Amino acid sequence: MGKKFTFKYNPDQKFQLDAISSVVDLFEGIPFQEQKEMFAGTTNDVTPNFPNEEVLDEILLHENLQIIQERNNAENRGSELDITDDLEVDDGMVLEVAGNDSFRVPHFTVEMETGTGKTYVYLRTLYEFKKRYGFTKFIIVVPSVAIYQGVIKSIQTMRNHFRQLYDNQDVTVIPYDSNKLGELNTFSNNTDLTIMVMTIDAFNKGNNNIYKHTEKLQGEWKPYQYIQATRPIIILDEAQNFESLKAKEAIRTLKPLFVLRYSATHRETPNLVYRLTPIDAFKNNLVKQIEVIGVAELGNLNDKVLRLVEIKRTKPLTAILKAFVLEKGELVEREITLKQGDNLYTKTRNPDYEHFIVDEIRYGKKEEEQIIQFENGSSLSVSDSILSKESIFRAQIERTISVHMHRQQELKTQGIKVLSLFFIDRVKNYTAHDGLIKRIFDESFEKLKNHYDHFRALQASEVREGYFSKPKVDSPEEAAVDTDGRTNAQREMEKQAFELIMKRKERLLSFNEPVSFVFAHSALKEGWDNPNVFQICTLNQTSSTIKKRQEIGRGLRIAVDQEGNRAENHEINVLTVIANEQYESFVSRLQQEYIEDGTDAPPPPKKPEQGEVKRNNDLYNSEDFIKFWRKLNKKMTYKVNIDTEKLIEQCVERLNNADFPSPLIEITRGRFIMCEYKISLIDVEGKRAKIKIHMEDSTGTKKENELFIEVDDDLKKITRDERLRGFKLLHIDELYGEPYVKFTNEITVKKFEPYIFHTERAEKPKKLLEQADKTTYPIPDFITRTANETYLTKKTVLDIFKRISKEKIEKIFYNPEGWISTFLSQIRIALSDHIVENIDFQIDENKEIYDDVDALFPKMVKHPQRELIESGVAGLYDKVQIDSDVERNFITDLIKPDVDKGNTVLYFKFPPKFKIQLPKIIGNYNPDWAIIRKYNDGKLKLELTRETKGGVKLDDLRFPQEKRKILCAMKYFEKIGVSYRVVTDTSYDWMDIKESKQLSLEESNMM
């Protein structure tokens, strides 16, 4: 352990060599450039990459590009690439300050997952360019100070490694500084490998120093003209940051020979030559596996915080807010979209938001510049609307420290120092003297350290540091820490923190340095990383400007020991993310970001093919249908005789037996696993197809299924794999003699053309519940809220409240919204059951429910094709829509055979618009099936209505309201004289007639 720490690099990693050769081989056929000074008619001597008046042969470049793309696909190098039809070239104006003339430059893209050595790849590519073609002038353009510092550090740490590979070839590194423009002399006339590192902010505005005359350079040229004359090769690091028109214009202004784009998360990928996706990286163990610990508070809606999530650059601008919406008397948190002039109260019905009318919405690149202003003077920005929730923070911080200490204890004997990275919500929560996050961390560390030898002798203040950058736009070297209003001693401490985190990565990885917990706001979201970050704790609301993928990317690199050797043990390389939301929510959002950033996943279902169904006019105009419809279409009214005293007793009994929730902290833990699915069609044999499903995930697990499927077979059900949801076979066919299968999610799989998609498989998480901090809250007017929702009088609601036990009443102070939710739901249940017991229907013989029968039963109806089956001769339509397998089987196994026997003469599914009106608290009812059947040897025709369910026991139904609707329907159909029953797809006595009154009694007894 006493050896000096040095990073070690493996020069033989195949995926890195593939990425390097993919770029370098693009220029095969271009002659080697002997370095000669170019005299530019002034006193400026410049050594360019390429002769001044010559251009690269775009036809040659395009031919080479296609050869490389085809080679990479054939050799399975990374993920498959589309072959580029035409070379993509950026062609446009340069900045006006530089002459505003036009310039044309080809871009080439390399996409590599975070943590796989992207910086190593592009730096080694530059050495290869010097060796193969004599190119010497390179500019690395970065979007931020953190990446600027990271790149310079990487060049320093890799310098000796590259010397050994390239015959002692050295490199001149110029960190661009607008206050040291004389260094451009070195850049322009140096004949050896020269790299200049710049932030985009240094040259994207007309008032940048780079476009002004300076005495630090001889001759008449301005600084940018020296750069132009070198015909530089530009490398864009984190290229997704340079896709604006302004950034592209600035890059053209430097007049590069060509541009190379490197990132894990491109939006644009011109001339993509190599791609290593997250699934490739996880599958080949090139990065750490991801484990997620979700920390969420359950059942607490009492901190009524209004939060601005993001401003969307739509026309007009829209704001996404998280707000509490009053739904059926209960507060629920929802995302609300607002535009100028919208009233938040109208959208939420929440009285807390009265007078919140949107006055202005402003967009800015920084969180604090994204603002929504209301007419009442209130305003929110993304940065200040983040909830600092002490109980959640404490649970997250304690969990992070505990995992950190436990992991350090395991890995110390292997010489691996463990680091944790915290992303915090507000800088002041750490930097202030009494900062909430710093205080919780210190308390938690001191409490936990005594269990671990490595930390027992350390103080909390010794093991933590923070970096919160406030860079000057044009001079990255003067990057400051958040030092406003601070003393010289504080400023010096923060400068040391900056040096340790940003520049002295080796020291941070050494056991001689006690700091192992790093705090940041957004400065470390991309570009900065450290191989030994094993825990990332998100004490922020990750919005659109700081993505989860960027955050977790800081910890994906394979860990190293004290001598700089990579730890290849896959069990060691696990990154634990401690998130401030439920595990499932974090994983699904993370997966969504992988999808948005270009990793394939199952596409959202397209609008399904529509099938037309035609009405059987003979049946529609028949006496049977007309007579039945008249009976069904009678206007009905209902009356409910409420027994108030009995209802109050029923409510009180339920409430005294109810569990009123206390706020809980839920901690869930599981792995985030990336999967690749490949569905292939092997052959078609008559009405069945043979397919193969191959699955491989990032843990190395492989599964392969070969199976025969027929129309309506559901791959999800057959394989019991949720990831195959939507793959239900719609039809088997052939096109131009080649067979194919089509699924209901519109995916088509042809022979020799498998369908491949990537997705995540979240492990079933382990769950732990802890009591949240006990806090008292003010009590809202729940009496009025309950009365409005249930239509009971305030007096009745108050009587119910007064009669419940004191023990239950006292719980309201600690979780009012959770308490009200239980209070309201129990009253709603008791009232609904009371209504069912006491409802009575009356027929109005002179009125009909629907005047226009043709509108309910049109000549032609369009339904999704996947939901249609042939209905046969007795169907009112030639096809019938089914919503479940039970309905499908009921028609095919029970109704159609009865039609074939000559018994059932007419049947139809009630149109969705047909509703039996019931009290609002229960909801209106749409029955399933109407059937006319011969009875008593054909002498009588009986009219039946049947409800199809998975079982006939009403207490087993999934939703209690279904049972209540059915019990009301029994009374309703009995009144109009139509037999009504609940049946299943195996109820072979479905046609038996029972006296409706008797049925109602039997069903009630059954329950």
Side-chain angles (χ1 to χ4, degrees), residues 226-465:
Y226 281 86
I227 296 173
Q228 287 179 338
T230 66
R231 312 289 303 276
I233 295 164
I234 288 184
I235 291 87
L236 302 181
D237 192 331
E238 303 293 354
Q240 74 278 8
N241 293 285
F242 310 113
E243 290 172 358
S244 68
L245 294 175
K246 179 182 172 186
K248 289 177 179 177
E249 189 177 47
I251 291 160
R252 286 194 294 269
T253 303
L254 300 185
K255 297 194 172 178
L257 185 63
F258 55 87
V259 175
L260 301 177
R261 305 160 57 88
Y262 290 83
S263 179
T265 56
H266 291 96
R267 283 181 287 269
E268 299 174 5
T269 54
N271 305 317
L272 182 61
V273 295
Y274 182 80
R275 173 187 277 151
L276 184 80
T277 67
I279 189 71
D280 298 325
F282 284 128
K283 194 168 67 180
N284 294 305
N285 297 304
L286 306 176
V287 292
K288 291 192 186 96
Q289 301 292 321
I290 301 170
E291 173 188 65
V292 180
I293 296 179
V295 178
E297 190 161 37
L298 303 181
N300 188 2
L301 298 172
N302 304 296
D303 293 300
K304 294 166 188 164
V305 177
L306 185 63
R307 287 183 277 163
L308 176 60
V309 178
E310 66 175 312
I311 303 293
K312 284 194 173 286
R313 297 178 72 180
T314 50
K315 288 188 178 178
L317 286 175
T318 54
I320 310 295
L321 279 80
K322 279 225 172 162
F324 287 98
V325 177
L326 202 57
E327 290 183 0
K328 296 184 178 179
E330 297 178 41
L331 283 184
V332 288
E333 194 174 31
R334 296 271 187 263
E335 283 197 352
I336 303 292
T337 302
L338 296 175
K339 59 182 186 301
Q340 191 154 342
D342 280 353
N343 187 331
L344 185 59
Y345 171 67
T346 305
K347 291 212 168 198
T348 62
R349 311 309 305 165
N350 185 342
D352 290 346
Y353 303 142
E354 280 194 275
H355 314 301
F356 274 76
I357 297 166
V358 181
D359 182 42
E360 185 185 6
I361 297 173
R362 295 201 295 273
Y363 177 83
K365 285 188 176 179
K366 296 179 181 175
E367 287 182 349
E368 58 269 23
E369 295 169 353
Q370 295 190 36
I371 293 169
I372 182 169
Q373 180 91 33
F374 297 97
E375 290 181 4
N376 63 3
S378 300
S379 68
L380 288 172
S381 76
V382 170
S383 62
D384 68 15
S385 60
I386 291 160
L387 174 62
S388 300
K389 183 69 181 166
E390 183 162 348
S391 57
I392 293 287
F393 281 5
R394 186 174 296 280
Q396 283 184 272
I397 291 169
E398 283 189 1
R399 192 67 43 175
T400 306
I401 295 171
S402 175
V403 172
H404 179 116
M405 289 178 171
H406 182 73
R407 194 163 273 165
Q408 184 61 84
Q409 182 172 279
E410 287 181 333
L411 298 182
K412 187 164 186 181
T413 55
Q414 298 178 51
I416 295 172
K417 181 181 173 185
V418 172
L419 302 177
S420 288
L421 174 61
F422 293 82
F423 284 104
I424 70 174
D425 63 337
R426 290 192 185 98
V427 172
K428 287 189 173 14
N429 271 342
Y430 181 86
T431 57
H433 173 69
D434 58 347
L436 174 68
I437 288 171
K438 183 162 61 182
R439 173 173 61 78
I440 294 173
F441 176 86
D442 289 0
E443 291 169 359
S444 302
F445 181 85
E446 294 299 330
K447 181 173 81 174
L448 294 169
K449 72 178 187 180
N450 293 320
H451 301 293
Y452 299 92
D453 292 342
H454 181 78
F455 296 97
R456 191 170 286 134
L458 295 169
Q459 302 301 310
S461 57
E462 295 177 88
V463 299
R464 57 168 167 76
E465 280 294 2

Side-chain angles (χ1 to χ4, degrees), residues 608-814:
E609 292 180 19
Q610 296 290 299
E612 292 182 346
V613 301
K614 297 183 181 67
R615 191 176 71 193
N616 182 329
N617 285 327
D618 289 340
L619 290 176
Y620 178 70
N621 294 316
S622 69
E623 186 183 346
D624 289 333
F625 176 77
I626 293 168
K627 182 182 167 193
F628 194 10
W629 179 247
R630 280 181 188 149
K631 193 179 285 189
L632 292 170
N633 200 25
K634 284 278 189 289
K635 183 76 175 176
M636 296 280 282
T637 56
Y638 62 80
K639 186 170 70 174
V640 181
N641 296 309
I642 298 288
D643 182 338
T644 305
E645 183 57 32
K646 187 177 179 183
L647 174 63
I648 291 172
E649 288 172 3
Q650 290 169 335
C651 290
V652 170
E653 183 182 0
R654 290 197 70 91
L655 287 163
N656 280 335
N657 289 316
D659 289 324
F660 287 88
S662 299
L664 296 170
I665 302 290
E666 180 190 64
I667 297 166
T668 43
R669 184 173 189 163
R671 290 276 182 104
F672 176 80
I673 299 169
M674 298 289 290
C675 309
E676 179 180 271
Y677 283 79
K678 183 177 182 180
I679 303 175
S680 310
L681 174 60
I682 299 171
D683 209 353
V684 169
E685 299 175 8
K687 290 187 176 181
R688 62 181 197 163
K690 187 178 184 183
I691 64 166
K692 181 164 73 175
I693 305 168
H694 178 86
M695 189 285 294
E696 188 171 348
D697 70 27
S698 53
T699 66
T701 302
K702 295 181 183 180
K703 287 183 183 174
E704 199 158 273
N705 251 340
E706 279 195 12
L707 57 149
F708 285 97
I709 54 171
E710 298 181 9
V711 170
D712 293 332
D713 280 350
D714 189 334
L715 296 189
K716 172 183 161 271
K717 288 184 179 177
I718 294 170
T719 61
R720 296 182 180 177
D721 187 342
E722 272 293 323
R723 301 295 146 202
L724 295 172
R725 179 186 292 277
F727 284 92
K728 190 173 185 178
L729 191 58
L730 185 62
H731 56 241
I732 301 170
D733 212 333
E734 64 175 48
L735 187 65
Y736 309 124
E738 286 296 337
Y740 72 89
V741 292
K742 186 168 188 178
F743 296 95
T744 53
N745 57 6
E746 303 300 304
I747 301 295
T748 299
V749 181
K750 301 175 185 175
K751 200 170 182 181
F752 311 117
E753 288 184 36
Y755 177 70
I756 298 172
F757 68 90
H758 297 113
T759 183
E760 102 290 348
R761 176 171 62 78
E763 276 187 339
K764 188 175 181 182
K766 297 170 186 168
K767 294 197 175 185
L768 175 70
L769 291 176
E770 297 177 355
Q771 197 76 32
D773 295 342
K774 210 168 187 182
T775 309
T776 56
Y777 296 92
I779 312 300
D781 179 6
F782 66 94
I783 300 291
T784 302
R785 207 196 283 183
T786 306
N788 289 343
E789 178 59 28
T790 59
Y791 300 102
L792 296 174
T793 64
K794 288 185 185 179
K795 180 182 180 304
T796 301
V797 176
L798 190 58
D799 281 349
I800 293 167
F801 175 70
K802 285 178 178 176
R803 291 199 208 176
I804 61 178
S805 72
K806 185 182 176 186
E807 174 202 352
K808 300 291 183 184
I809 288 174
E810 285 176 351
K811 292 193 172 184
I812 192 171
F813 298 105
Y814 303 108

Side-chain angles (χ1 to χ4, degrees), residues 145 176 178 199-205 207-208 366 470-479:
V145 175
Y176 175 83
S178 61
T199 63
I200 187 74
D201 287 335
F203 65 98
N204 63 357
K205 290 178 286 296
N207 63 357
N208 288 128
K366 296 179 181 175
K470 296 184 77 179
K472 292 187 178 178
V473 168
D474 211 16
S475 181
E477 270 302 305
E478 294 182 26

